[in-house]
Amino acid sequence: MLANFLGKVTQLEGKKFLKLGEEVNDSEIIAPEMKNSEVSLYIHIPFCKTLCPYCCFNRYLFNEEKTRKYFQHLKKELDLYLQKGFRFSSCYFGGGTPTVLMPELLEFIDYLKSNSLGKEISLETTPREIDEVNVNLLKQAGVNRLSIGIQSFDSDILRAMGRAFCNEEELKEKILTARNNFDTLNLDFIFNFPSQSIESFQADLEIFNSLDIDQVTFYPLMPSPHKKNALERRFRKVDTSREKDFYDVILQTTHASGYNASTAWCFSKGKRMIDEYVVDFDDYVGIGAGSVSLLQGNFYVNSFSLDKYAELTGQNRLPIIRLRKLSDHELMYYYLLSKLFGIKLDTDKFRQKFKVDIHKTLRKELMFLKLSGLVQEEESAIEVTLKGMYPLNVMMREFFSSLNGLREYCIENQL
Ligand SMILES: C[S@@+](CC[C@H](N)C(=O)[O-])C[C@H]1O[C@@H](n2cnc3c(N)ncnc32)[C@H](O)[C@@H]1O
Ligand code: SF4
């Protein structure tokens, strides 16, 4: 099948892309000579109150003292970038759970603002941290986009996902508490979890529809190799052949309810800030333990180990442990993938960035996508068609699964 073929190609490219290269020297990292607004900042907070068995992000069980110290190291890392002349417009807090320790988070946001950063702030949280007090604090702090990880409303699925800390009624109540307080409220769901049925997923979507929310993101389950084995021992096979049925439900329901695709996974009402800064920004800096950065063709990986992260930032050094210089072709391929993930690629922007015409340099790739009916081109825009949405989902799943494999390797080896 076409989608599987493209997924395989992306998996191979993803593995090459993420092959860790040489160690890096701080002085090699310089602020790009471009408008500051073109670089985004990702801030990773790797602590959660409980650890979900499917999750491959760098996360540790919450400990107040460790988290407090972590925020201090984070500030040091940010300072190192500021001293190098970096300025950022959009800031994305991800995790882990950025809201695990609210006073430290709010102080950090203040610090961003005192440095004229954070004009646009997106932040992830779990329903556990949502209440009226926290919603007001986040709103006053200037958070523009709040994303809540719901995953499912089904009590059996929530239990299987290790997320029985809120039941359906409590989840709805929390969502309504957060609604209408931010420019964008997003809810995250996971599909194709081993014990999840199409019927239970349809019921999730019905509940979602009844809540009238700005944006929704559906992640296909993407476990790293060891997490996948563990899930399969407990439940049943993680079966990607079921994925298309779930994805069809997503496309039908979001379309019928007036949502437009912002990415293959994210659907919004109107124009909204999205989570995938890889789509909107060619260059991004990730700070925090386990973050990655892409700067002018170089892919950097931060230390995943909290101790190493503290040690390096304590020595006023960037906590980068590996660097991978991407070839021009790899970079163009990555650009094609990330922009198509955001549904539309602007060929003029491609020319400005790479000084070549995409039709010449990625001729075979484009021809294949067009002849298969997965994209169409009009004026200077290459756009994903309805037929292209599912293959795109598979490609992104494979790309992010490769990233999850890298995360697992770094976590297990405490790099
Ligand atoms: C990193 S989490 C942060 C949000 C918050 N900690 C939470 O869980 O509610 C962001 C989203 O990633 C998704 N996610 C995490 N692990 C995943 C996996 N293995 N496969 C697919 N999606 C995953 C979940 O939907 C989650 O809401
Ligand atoms: S899904 Fe969210 S809450 Fe669960 S472990 Fe991952 S980051 Fe933490």
Side-chain angles (χ1 to χ4, degrees):
M1 201 172 128
L2 190 59
N4 289 342
F5 167 72
L6 285 167
K8 211 71 208 149
V9 173
T10 312
Q11 190 186 59
L12 293 173
E13 287 295 323
K15 281 198 177 135
K16 269 197 271 165
F17 180 95
L18 296 167
K19 212 165 169 210
L20 292 183
E22 58 264 47
E23 301 227 0
V24 72
N25 180 341
D26 259 29
S27 58
E28 287 180 35
I29 298 170
I30 44 169
E33 285 178 26
M34 55 172 75
K35 276 196 248 125
N36 299 327
S37 59
E38 289 168 19
V39 185
S40 74
L41 178 68
Y42 171 77
I43 304 148
H44 191 73
I45 312 296
F47 299 100
C48 300
K49 296 259 168 82
T50 49
L51 301 181
C52 313
Y54 55 85
C55 174
C56 316
F57 290 88
N58 196 31
R59 82 281 199 260
Y60 299 90
L61 208 51
F62 172 67
N63 167 296
E64 187 167 334
E65 191 49 30
K66 277 190 188 166
T67 311
R68 215 177 282 288
K69 287 208 176 115
Y70 180 82
F71 270 99
Q72 290 166 10
H73 304 311
L74 203 55
K75 224 172 183 180
K76 282 197 174 174
E77 190 185 4
L78 176 63
D79 284 343
L80 290 171
Y81 279 103
L82 295 179
Q83 283 156 20
K84 284 173 180 287
F86 281 86
R87 292 295 176 271
F88 310 98
S89 55
S90 297
C91 301
Y92 296 78
F93 285 89
T97 308
T99 46
V100 269
L101 196 55
M102 284 297 283
E104 312 303 301
L105 171 70
L106 297 174
E107 202 185 307
F108 194 85
I109 295 179
D110 268 354
Y111 190 64
L112 287 175
K113 299 216 148 168
S114 67
N115 281 287
S116 309
L117 307 173
K119 287 186 198 79
E120 203 178 29
I121 300 177
S122 171
L123 193 137
E124 290 176 346
T125 188
T126 74
R128 187 171 10 217
E129 280 81 18
I130 291 292
D131 57 28
E132 226 167 277
V133 174
N134 281 352
V135 165
N136 282 329
L137 288 170
L138 293 172
K139 190 175 158 181
Q140 279 157 20
V143 170
N144 305 88
R145 177 182 181 274
L146 185 73
S147 173
I148 312 176
I150 300 297
Q151 321 314 350
S152 174
F153 290 108
D154 182 317
S155 55
D156 290 338
I157 302 293
L158 288 171
R159 214 170 304 115
M161 286 181 173
R163 295 180 68 99
F165 47 78
C166 286
N167 62 30
E168 179 189 326
E169 284 315 308
E170 289 162 336
L171 287 173
K172 287 198 275 200
E173 200 182 304
K174 281 165 182 283
I175 293 166
L176 294 179
T177 304
R179 196 178 67 171
N180 298 334
N181 279 296
F182 302 92
D183 295 342
T184 302
L185 178 68
N186 173 79
L187 305 183
D188 284 344
F189 290 87
I190 288 183
F191 64 100
N192 200 24
F193 194 81
S195 55
Q196 190 177 28
S197 67
I198 290 285
E199 291 73 25
S200 130
F201 186 59
Q202 275 168 330
D204 280 347
L205 284 175
E206 261 171 48
I207 300 172
F208 166 77
N209 264 336
S210 70
L211 297 169
D212 189 21
I213 302 298
D214 312 316
Q215 189 179 70
V216 57
T217 307
F218 299 100
Y219 292 100
L221 182 69
M222 298 174 283
S224 55
H226 293 168
K227 293 267 164 18
K228 182 168 179 257
N229 290 342
L231 287 176
E232 290 186 343
R233 276 197 302 272
R234 255 185 82 190
F235 304 104
R236 59 174 184 217
K237 201 172 170 311
V238 176
D239 183 1
T240 50
S241 71
R242 296 192 323 143
E243 201 183 74
K244 177 137 189 341
D245 293 339
F246 285 92
Y247 198 74
D248 285 344
V249 172
I250 294 173
L251 287 186
Q252 281 156 17
T253 317
T254 51
H255 180 73
S257 318
Y259 290 85
N260 292 317
S262 300
T263 72
W265 297 338
C266 177
F267 299 82
S268 317
K269 279 189 177 159
K271 189 154 172 48
R272 305 276 173 187
M273 188 179 184
I274 56 169
D275 218 3
E276 310 303 340
Y277 46 92
V278 297
V279 172
D280 285 341
F281 295 88
D282 300 351
D283 286 80
Y284 50 88
V285 166
I287 63 171
S291 287
V292 298
S293 307
L294 185 66
L295 276 174
Q296 298 195 306
N298 293 324
F299 180 68
Y300 301 98
V301 180
N302 265 9
S303 174
F304 280 65
S305 143
L306 291 181
D307 289 343
K308 196 160 185 176
Y309 179 74
E311 186 190 320
L312 290 169
T313 48
Q315 295 166 355
N316 281 325
R317 287 169 60 194
L318 287 178
I320 293 171
I321 47 146
R322 291 289 187 278
L323 152 74
R324 167 93 159 76
K325 286 182 193 299
L326 301 176
S327 69
D328 283 350
H329 189 80
E330 282 173 324
L331 200 56
M332 287 180 208
Y333 189 85
Y334 173 77
Y335 188 91
L336 173 72
L337 188 67
S338 57
K339 299 301 169 200
L340 288 185
F341 181 47
I343 312 296
K344 199 189 257 187
L345 182 149
D346 183 328
T347 54
D348 290 341
K349 285 197 180 146
F350 184 96
R351 194 178 306 105
Q352 274 163 26
K353 184 173 170 66
F354 296 106
K355 314 279 177 264
V356 282
D357 183 349
I358 192 168
H359 302 94
K360 282 195 184 136
T361 190
L362 293 177
R363 193 175 62 85
K364 277 189 285 182
E365 287 86 350
L366 276 186
M367 193 121 82
F368 177 80
L369 292 172
K370 274 190 203 169
L371 289 176
S372 317
L374 306 184
V375 300
Q376 64 192 16
E377 187 165 2
E378 243 176 73
E379 295 180 7
S380 63
I382 298 173
E383 224 170 311
V384 178
T385 59
L386 189 59
K387 184 180 173 195
M389 290 294 281
Y390 180 66
L392 186 65
N393 156 74
V394 175
M395 288 164 81
M396 292 318 295
R397 183 236 293 154
E398 288 308 319
F399 184 79
F400 283 111
S401 294
S402 304
L403 191 55
N404 284 345
L406 170 82
R407 288 190 177 114
E408 183 162 85
Y409 175 81
C410 292
I411 293 167
E412 287 181 354
N413 292 286
Q414 278 298 284
L415 290 180

